[in-house]
Amino acid sequence: MCVSFAGCGTPTETEGLFYELDDKSYVVTGYGGDDRKVYIPDTKEGIKVEKIDYEAFENSEIEKIVLG
């Protein structure tokens, strides 16, 4: 049984996230999906995700972002 406000298990990366490689880390640059809750992992392909671009979610209807 799992009792948690954040959910159970390890969430998976939300499909539709756009990334750019900046030096040695990834930057989330946009989102093209329909989910209103988005999970951004702490790594992608073994490389850290360290930044979210200022306007990455500007035209989306996201209600919640969960960081890894």
Side-chain angles (χ1 to χ4, degrees):
M1 175 195 219
C2 177
V3 179
S4 171
F5 293 107
C8 300
T10 304
T12 58
E13 174 186 357
T14 302
E15 290 187 37
L17 288 169
F18 301 114
Y19 298 88
E20 285 185 15
L21 193 56
D22 180 23
D23 295 319
K24 295 184 179 184
S25 65
Y26 276 108
V27 177
V28 177
T29 58
Y31 179 61
D34 295 325
D35 293 331
R36 292 183 181 250
K37 179 180 177 184
V38 174
Y39 174 72
I40 300 172
D42 57 352
T43 62
K44 179 174 178 60
E45 302 168 351
I47 300 171
K48 286 189 173 199
V49 177
E50 294 188 336
K51 299 176 187 176
I52 299 172
D53 190 57
Y54 179 73
E55 297 176 339
F57 302 110
E58 182 177 36
N59 295 317
S60 68
E61 295 185 20
I62 293 174
E63 296 174 356
K64 183 175 185 176
I65 296 173
V66 178
L67 304 174

